[in-house]
Amino acid sequence: MEEFIAGRTEDRNREMAPKEKFSKLFEELKSCSVSEQKEKIKEMNRLMEEMNKEELKYVCTTELFNKIDQMIEEEKLTMENAILLLKHMGYCNMLLNMINLSFMDSSLSLGFVKMIVKEDKKKEERNEKLLTELCECYLLFNVGTSSQLISVCVPCLLKASLKKDENEEAQKEKEMALLALCNMNVYNKVEIALYLNEIKEIIQYHQKHRNLTRLAYQSAWGFLMTEFFNDKSLEEVITNELHFAREVESELDGLMQSVDWKKKEEEMEKTERKAMNIISRWIRSICHYFYSCHLWNEECVELISRIVDVLLASRDNHSEIGEEYIQSFIVVAKNGAVIFDVLLKSGAIDAAFEEIQRRTLNRVMTSEILRFFHLISMRLKEKEDGEMEEAKRKELKRKIFEKMEEEGFEDIITSFFEKFSYIFANHDVFIYL
């Protein structure tokens, strides 16, 4: 009889959705031994890897974080086990490119701030591993961070990322540290000059030894490119010393080969979904670069060509990636330093023409491509300084409008320009970069 009941219970558990299994296991943590807690948390972490965004939002609530804080306070959950759960929870949120504000609204967030400050003040006696993990947990969930915590967390996580060990566990730890650093946004004022040597060393060491995972490498660049958005003096280092465009072009090429683009997301293997998420994560860094870059070279053309490849490969089953990547064309078109020959040579204009003629094109992509065309039209109507530059502009304008006429778009673009100009002049319209 007992075996029958146990079997029925096991069947019911199998029928439960991952988010429901997660909640059930979480409630069981209070009455478990430390070792039992650890095993249950490992299962909870596995379940989170199966969840989509909506399911992860369902479990990652302010209420859950408050309960974790209370369990730590009442010594019903060890700090080691709490960190094991929270780090993976933050990792899964980041991998799905989620912004989760629930942690910031919880008592656990304040508790972590106090623990980080307290551990940092210990100086020689402090537990470096604990401090690193506390910083990781905090930054993985917090898009806004105080200058006091930045001065503690940034050097701590960079130090952890600089370790040269290349075994699987060390790679995972470096990935986590860099992923946490990458989560800071452009409003977090980091004095990058204090940390430039460290992040350069991390990137250059990987370029030579390939010691980071693809996600960790993307995150290292993500941290640096966020600071580039605020500090344009980094351009020479990023473009000519670290070769951002060349490196991203190579990374996107490798990631694209890891994905069977004929599959829909639900049909993909776990490794394929992760590769897709990393491809998606690159777009913010690419846009930051194109927005601020004035040192255009052949590497930039190759990068835009690779973005065209991503756009075309993703259009049938993963159009949301195409929607993200068309943003980079828009940013390029808005960059006053860009000669439009770059967009012709890279295939970006051809790809936009090809995309907008597809019958299955959705409203978002249509809007983004029309904005791209509109920006080109506006830029081509601008006057250039000097007879030589003006002559180049006119020749380029002739080439582009010939292509538009060839594709049947010349009258349409002119019409868009007139209508958009009227709308922008007479209505309060917000244009997203």
Side-chain angles (χ1 to χ4, degrees):
M1 184 66 177
E2 288 179 1
E3 290 180 1
F4 173 76
I5 294 172
R8 289 292 299 274
T9 302
E10 188 176 335
D11 288 340
R12 282 198 299 272
N13 285 340
R14 273 199 294 268
E15 292 169 5
M16 293 169 68
K19 64 182 183 180
E20 293 166 344
K21 292 180 186 178
F22 179 95
S23 299
K24 181 177 181 295
L25 287 167
F26 179 78
E27 291 303 318
E28 293 173 357
L29 291 179
K30 299 174 185 177
S31 55
C32 292
S33 66
V34 173
S35 59
E36 288 173 333
Q37 276 186 354
K38 191 169 186 177
E39 291 307 309
K40 287 185 182 293
I41 288 171
K42 285 180 179 178
E43 175 61 15
M44 292 163 71
N45 288 347
R46 187 193 64 75
L47 288 169
M48 282 190 285
E49 293 175 6
E50 298 178 9
M51 296 181 191
N52 57 33
K53 286 186 178 182
E54 290 306 312
E55 290 173 319
L56 205 55
K57 284 180 184 177
Y58 176 88
V59 299
C60 297
T61 62
T62 302
E63 181 184 5
L64 179 130
F65 293 126
N66 286 338
K67 284 182 179 179
I68 292 174
D69 186 42
Q70 185 178 358
M71 289 167 68
I72 293 171
E73 186 70 26
E74 295 174 354
E75 298 185 351
K76 293 180 179 178
L77 180 66
T78 65
M79 181 55 65
E80 180 183 354
N81 282 342
I83 287 173
L84 180 65
L85 175 62
L86 290 166
K87 278 175 63 174
H88 201 73
M89 193 178 289
Y91 177 85
C92 290
N93 272 264
M94 289 284 285
L95 204 57
L96 291 177
N97 299 321
M98 286 174 55
I99 297 176
N100 190 324
L101 303 179
S102 300
F103 180 83
M104 295 175 67
D105 296 331
S106 71
S107 59
L108 184 61
S109 176
L110 295 175
F112 265 74
V113 171
K114 292 176 182 176
M115 285 187 282
I116 289 169
V117 172
K118 180 180 178 182
E119 195 62 39
D120 181 59
K121 284 182 177 178
K122 292 179 181 178
K123 302 301 178 185
E124 294 180 3
E125 299 177 3
R126 69 185 173 195
N127 184 331
E128 293 287 349
K129 183 176 184 297
L130 174 61
L131 181 59
T132 299
E133 291 182 324
L134 290 171
C135 291
E136 287 170 349
C137 288
Y138 187 77
L139 289 186
L140 284 169
F141 285 107
N142 278 268
V143 293
T145 306
S146 69
S147 57
Q148 181 187 17
L149 284 184
I150 287 174
S151 66
V152 175
C153 293
V154 171
C156 177
L157 296 179
L158 285 173
K159 183 179 179 180
S161 305
L162 278 165
K163 292 178 180 177
K164 301 300 189 289
D165 305 30
E166 296 184 15
N167 59 64
E168 186 176 348
E169 184 178 351
Q171 280 200 334
K172 187 69 178 176
E173 285 306 312
K174 285 183 279 191
E175 181 179 87
M176 195 69 76
L178 288 166
L179 194 61
L181 277 173
C182 183
N183 199 34
M184 290 192 294
N185 60 40
V186 295
Y187 301 108
N188 294 131
K189 301 297 183 183
V190 176
E191 293 185 50
I192 191 63
L194 299 176
Y195 312 114
L196 185 57
N197 288 338
E198 285 86 348
I199 194 65
K200 277 176 57 180
E201 184 179 343
I202 290 167
I203 290 171
Q204 289 175 324
Y205 190 85
H206 173 77
Q207 289 174 349
K208 187 175 181 180
H209 300 281
R210 298 293 158 183
N211 69 314
L212 299 174
T213 65
R214 287 196 183 277
L215 178 57
Y217 191 47
Q218 185 281 320
S219 299
W221 273 112
F223 171 69
L224 182 56
M225 296 308 296
T226 298
E227 300 317 310
F228 181 35
F229 189 84
N230 291 318
D231 187 349
K232 304 302 183 284
S233 69
L234 296 170
E235 183 172 11
E236 176 66 32
V237 171
I238 288 170
T239 300
N240 293 330
E241 190 174 345
L242 298 178
H243 298 278
F244 173 79
R246 181 193 69 194
E247 289 296 303
V248 181
E249 188 273 330
S250 175
E251 286 296 301
L252 289 178
D253 185 44
L255 287 161
M256 286 184 68
Q257 293 179 36
S258 303
V259 174
D260 183 348
W261 295 93
K262 294 179 181 178
K263 293 180 181 177
K264 294 185 178 180
E265 186 173 356
E266 59 271 18
E267 300 170 334
M268 287 185 166
E269 302 293 332
K270 182 178 173 181
T271 54
E272 290 180 299
R273 289 198 299 270
K274 186 171 182 178
M276 290 281 288
N277 284 325
I278 300 172
I279 289 171
S280 184
R281 286 176 60 81
W282 272 115
I283 189 58
R284 184 172 70 172
S285 297
I286 290 170
C287 285
H288 282 171
Y289 180 68
F290 286 157
Y291 177 78
S292 302
C293 177
H294 288 77
L295 298 175
W296 286 85
N297 56 30
E298 190 62 29
E299 291 177 1
C300 295
V301 178
E302 292 300 318
L303 174 56
I304 298 175
S305 296
R306 187 63 63 226
I307 292 170
V308 169
D309 292 340
V310 173
L311 179 66
L312 297 179
S314 64
R315 64 184 180 183
D316 290 330
N317 294 315
H318 307 279
S319 59
E320 68 285 352
I321 286 184
E323 292 165 16
E324 293 171 352
Y325 271 78
I326 199 69
Q327 280 290 331
S328 63
F329 294 170
I330 291 171
V331 177
V332 171
K334 293 182 80 168
N335 188 327
V338 174
I339 301 171
F340 274 116
D341 196 37
V342 168
L343 292 171
L344 279 171
K345 189 175 180 181
S346 65
I349 290 177
D350 285 329
F353 279 136
E354 187 177 335
E355 280 297 288
I356 203 165
Q357 294 179 76
R358 295 176 64 226
R359 292 181 180 181
T360 57
L361 197 65
N362 64 40
R363 186 169 57 183
V364 174
M365 182 65 94
T366 302
S367 173
E368 296 298 271
I369 293 175
L370 293 183
R371 186 180 304 168
F372 174 58
F373 286 153
H374 174 244
L375 285 166
I376 291 174
S377 182
M378 286 197 299
R379 287 281 309 280
L380 289 175
K381 289 177 183 291
E382 296 172 353
K383 295 289 184 182
E384 298 289 345
D385 295 331
E387 291 183 14
M388 185 72 72
E389 292 302 317
E390 181 63 15
K392 287 181 181 178
R393 183 192 69 81
K394 286 182 177 179
E395 175 62 17
L396 191 58
K397 181 178 179 180
R398 183 187 65 77
K399 288 181 181 178
I400 291 178
F401 273 85
E402 278 182 1
K403 184 173 285 293
M404 288 179 177
E405 186 176 20
E406 181 183 320
E407 299 288 345
F409 277 92
E410 184 177 22
D411 294 337
I412 296 173
I413 297 302
T414 302
S415 171
F416 287 150
F417 181 79
E418 292 172 354
K419 289 178 181 177
F420 286 176
S421 296
Y422 173 81
I423 292 170
F424 297 157
N426 294 279
H427 299 276
D428 182 19
V429 179
F430 174 73
I431 300 300
Y432 173 69
L433 171 67

